[in-house]
Amino acid sequence: MSTHGYLYLIHAKGTRFFKLGVTQNLALEMSNIQSNVPFEIEEIKHTHTFFAPASHYRNMVKQFAQHYTFGNWLLLQNEHEVQCVLAALNNFSHA
């Protein structure tokens, strides 16, 4: 993967499911995800990173491994868990 890209967090509206991901084309990624899931999604946060976004993503996957349920979807039970993921995502802003 290139040396720049986006880390993102999206939410499946009406659920406690969130997707953490990495991409070089955020608009295309959101469109692809929306066309492949049976519920409406909303972007919670994205951050542009200039250095090794895939590496940052892998670190976050490890950090939140206990929350993964299926595919790349996290089950976050409460607002505190959501805020923890957002804080980790913020740590990579403009890295």
Side-chain angles (χ1 to χ4, degrees), residues 21-42:
V22 62
T23 186
Q24 288 182 309
N25 186 328
L26 191 58
L28 181 60
E29 182 82 354
M30 294 301 115
S31 177
N32 287 341
I33 293 168
Q34 184 60 77
S35 66
N36 288 301
V37 295
F39 33 71
E40 187 177 354
I41 62 168
E42 63 181 336

Side-chain angles (χ1 to χ4, degrees), residues 34-90:
Q34 184 60 77
S35 66
N36 288 301
V37 295
F39 33 71
E40 187 177 354
I41 62 168
E42 63 181 336
E43 181 184 325
I44 302 298
K45 169 93 177 155
H46 75 266
T47 186
H48 189 238
T49 181
F50 294 100
F51 180 73
S55 175
H56 293 321
Y57 171 72
R58 284 190 299 274
N59 289 337
M60 290 185 69
V61 167
K62 289 177 189 173
Q63 183 177 353
F64 298 104
Q66 74 275 14
H67 295 287
Y68 278 93
T69 57
F70 59 94
N72 293 340
W73 290 90
L74 301 162
L75 177 60
L76 302 177
Q77 297 291 345
N78 54 55
E79 188 61 26
H80 174 74
E81 291 179 348
V82 174
Q83 291 304 315
C84 287
V85 175
L86 287 172
L89 191 59
N90 286 334

